[in-house]
């Protein structure tokens, strides 16, 4: 299945010490969702893998040549599926999960344990000073950890913005992508996720304001077209439903 982001499972440099990997599509509620991982090389050479895509041996070899795979991040309750495969290949790597991930994995019978739960308002020591970190508050279900790689001025989101391009999705998915708010170029927070923030938009707004305050230049997202420039304007556009 083509995703529109080929080649897949290869490192694509997007800035200093930061790469993306476009992975194969997964099925989510029957829909094909393209996947994307972000890789950051920390100053000590350690590699930080955010929302790992499916394990791939040649990709693993490319990473080994670049540094030590040290940190595997499951940034929200849905994005943990491939962490175990990467941990198996890199047993010395530490695993980190957003709040709710461990519970969700257990409820689905997935055997995975995490070394750390990601802190809500402070980066882990291992990447402090290089990557900012915050768990977005306000949702009853979706607790997503978001990151900002200072050196490349890149905001790393997962599902908070989804931005599917019409030419990359089946016709039947196009029909509801727009009402679901996830159709490029105006991809935003999906409608169903928005409902989990109902009555608590003030907390979401605060998180968006913090992200804007980081003054990012680009935004990586897991699904659909990411934003290689104009990040602050894109945040204002995508979160206009919550900003004043
Ligand atoms: Fe996702």
């Amino acid at each position: 299945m083509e995703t529109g982001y080929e080649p897949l499972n290869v490192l694509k440099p997007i800035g200093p010490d930061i790469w993306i990997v476009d992975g194969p599509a997964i099925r989510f509620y029957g829909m094909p969702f393209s996947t994307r991982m972000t890789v950051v090389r920390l100053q000590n050479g350690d590699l930080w893998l955010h929302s790992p895509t499916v394990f791939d041996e040649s990709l693993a070899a490319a990473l080994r040549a670049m540094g030590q795979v040290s940190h595997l991040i499951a940034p929200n309750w849905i994005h943990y599926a491939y962490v175990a495969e990467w941990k198996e290949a890199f047993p010395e790597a530490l695993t980190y999960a957003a709040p709710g991930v461990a519970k969700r994995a257990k409820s689905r019978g997935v055997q995975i344990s995490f070394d750390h739960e990601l802190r809500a308002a402070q980066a882990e020591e291992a990447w402090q000073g290089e990557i900012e970190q915050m768990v977005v508050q306000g949702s009853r279900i979706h607790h997503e950890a978001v990151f900002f790689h200072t050196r490349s001025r890149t905001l790393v989101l997962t599902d908070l913005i989804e931005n599917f391009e019409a030419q990359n999705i089946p016709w039947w998915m196009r029909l509801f992508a727009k009402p679901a708010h996830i159709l490029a170029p105006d991809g935003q927070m999906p409608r169903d996720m928005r409902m989990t923030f109902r009555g608590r938009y003030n907390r979401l707004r605060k998180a968006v304001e913090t992200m804007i305050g980081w003054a990012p230049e680009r935004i990586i997202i897991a699904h659909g077209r990411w934003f290689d420039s104009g990040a602050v304007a894109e945040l204002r556009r995508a979160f206009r439903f919550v900003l004043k």
Side-chain angles (χ1 to χ4, degrees):
M1 187 165 46
E2 299 257 313
T3 68
Y5 302 106
E6 285 75 15
L8 305 183
N9 300 332
V10 297
L11 288 155
K12 300 172 182 172
I14 63 149
D17 288 321
I18 187 165
W19 296 259
I20 57 169
V21 176
D22 288 302
I26 52 154
R27 290 265 161 199
F28 188 67
Y29 296 126
M31 296 181 288
F33 267 47
S34 54
T35 55
R36 185 172 294 119
M37 151 160 81
T38 303
V39 176
V40 168
R41 182 166 52 201
L42 300 174
Q43 275 161 19
N44 65 2
D46 284 354
L47 300 177
W48 181 93
L49 273 55
H50 173 274
S51 190
T53 45
V54 66
F55 180 80
D56 179 87
E57 194 47 65
S58 62
L59 175 58
L63 289 166
R64 272 189 205 102
M66 254 169 46
Q68 167 109 23
V69 174
S70 298
H71 309 291
L72 304 172
I73 315 295
N76 71 41
W77 65 307
I78 306 165
H79 281 248
Y80 61 85
Y82 302 118
V83 169
E85 298 176 359
W86 285 94
K87 172 79 179 175
E88 207 179 306
F90 295 95
E92 68 284 8
L94 294 171
T95 55
Y96 304 80
V101 174
K103 195 173 151 203
R104 158 99 167 173
K106 199 176 167 202
S107 77
R108 306 192 110 209
V110 176
Q111 290 296 322
I112 179 162
S113 65
F114 289 92
D115 298 305
H116 298 280
E117 180 164 300
L118 290 161
R119 295 173 181 167
Q122 196 183 9
E124 310 305 317
E125 268 106 33
W127 54 82
Q128 230 163 51
E130 297 186 62
I131 302 173
E132 302 279 356
Q133 172 181 331
M134 166 179 63
V135 175
V136 172
Q137 305 295 323
S139 170
R140 286 162 182 83
I141 298 171
H142 190 84
H143 311 291
E144 181 168 315
V146 301
F147 301 91
F148 175 63
H149 181 230
T150 314
R151 181 148 186 250
S152 66
R153 309 217 65 77
T154 305
L155 179 64
V156 184
L157 305 183
T158 309
D159 292 326
L160 291 173
I161 297 176
E162 298 177 11
N163 194 42
F164 291 94
E165 298 180 90
Q167 72 270 20
N168 294 340
I169 55 176
W171 65 270
W172 51 267
M173 188 172 163
R174 267 173 236 155
L175 295 179
F176 57 83
K178 192 159 184 179
H181 308 297
I182 56 174
L183 189 66
D186 194 19
Q188 306 170 41
M189 177 182 286
R191 178 186 289 265
D192 56 340
M193 189 189 301
R194 228 174 261 205
M195 283 161 60
T196 72
F197 283 90
R198 194 177 280 164
R200 304 183 187 180
Y201 274 11
N202 54 334
R203 296 194 216 175
L204 176 57
R205 182 182 309 122
K206 209 172 152 223
V208 173
E209 283 165 355
T210 298
M211 291 188 253
I212 289 172
W214 287 336
E217 285 171 10
R218 52 193 148 215
I219 308 171
I220 300 174
I221 56 176
H223 310 296
R225 188 193 180 96
W226 60 283
F227 307 97
D228 60 358
S229 64
V232 169
E234 295 290 358
L235 284 171
R236 292 192 193 284
R237 174 196 58 72
F239 290 102
R240 62 186 183 273
F241 68 97
V242 79
L243 293 171
K244 283 175 177 163

